Amino acid sequence: MTTSHLVSATELERSSVVANNAMNRERGLAGVNSYARELGFDPLAYLAERAAAPSWLDLCCGEGRALHQAASALPAAVLTGVDLVGPLAPVPTPPTLERVTASVSHWAPKRTYDLITCVHGLHYVGDQLGLLARAASWLTPDGLLLAHFDPDSIRWADGSPAGRAAVTALRTAGFRYSARHHRLTLQGARSIRLPFHYLGADPAAGPNYTGQPAVASHYGPAGVAASD
């Protein structure tokens, strides 16, 4: 089977599945529709226990409501939100919050962070494993990364499941994975090289465990390029 049905990062980001996704646009820090509920973890409490100027990077942040709320509660915190679309309803941005409209597939920070989150954002990223490997190096030495991850969205070139191999490689690299909650966690910065070569994405993969349309990421073993 060929990989001709796969699309590039630019094509993926223009697709209706990615450009129109609303998975994380309105989520706040606490409550029914919140980071605390989705992550099983209170970002605000974690940051409050850190140094005088704790830092949080939220990838695929949507409207950034959680970051705005954190800025109000922790005025000394350094907060960064990155989203492909950016805010649909512009509001004043606190001075400690940097809003970046960019593709997380290409963007990189100029600093490290105590906390990095990606709440249901990987479902719309082409090279999910590549982003996870890069984000691991953006942590402070004892920082924490949390991200939702669906192994069923990781495929080999022929479309067969590669999720088990991906989870094994991630665990070997230091990640912990909760299948029940579809969450990855990583404590502490590190340089990671996963044994996968990204081939492209399929935006027509259909709904994932959330019930929403999502992207399938296709890989070959490291060093193997895509075929025509």
Side-chain angles (χ1 to χ4, degrees), residues 17 123-124 150 152-153 155 203-215:
V17 171
H123 309 324
Y124 308 101
D150 181 12
D152 289 343
S153 69
R155 315 274 177 84
N208 67 0
Y209 70 88
T210 67
Q212 299 295 319
V215 170

Side-chain angles (χ1 to χ4, degrees), residues 109-208:
K110 297 180 180 179
R111 58 161 298 146
T112 56
Y113 292 86
D114 297 313
L115 176 64
I116 299 176
T117 54
C118 188
V119 176
H120 295 298
L122 286 177
H123 309 324
Y124 308 101
V125 173
D127 187 4
Q128 300 178 54
L129 301 180
L131 177 57
L132 288 167
R134 290 164 53 228
S137 69
W138 302 341
L139 288 168
T140 56
D142 62 344
L144 179 65
L145 184 156
L146 299 98
H148 289 96
F149 178 68
D150 181 12
D152 289 343
S153 69
I154 307 299
R155 315 274 177 84
W156 294 118
D158 63 0
S160 61
R164 180 173 295 183
V167 170
T168 297
L170 288 164
R171 284 174 169 157
T172 299
F175 283 87
R176 297 189 302 275
Y177 179 65
S178 168
R180 177 182 178 185
H181 300 103
H182 295 92
R183 283 198 302 259
L184 284 166
T185 58
L186 179 70
Q187 188 85 49
R190 64 199 68 195
S191 177
I192 290 177
R193 185 177 179 85
L194 298 171
F196 295 88
H197 174 78
Y198 179 60
L199 302 176
D202 178 9
N208 67 0

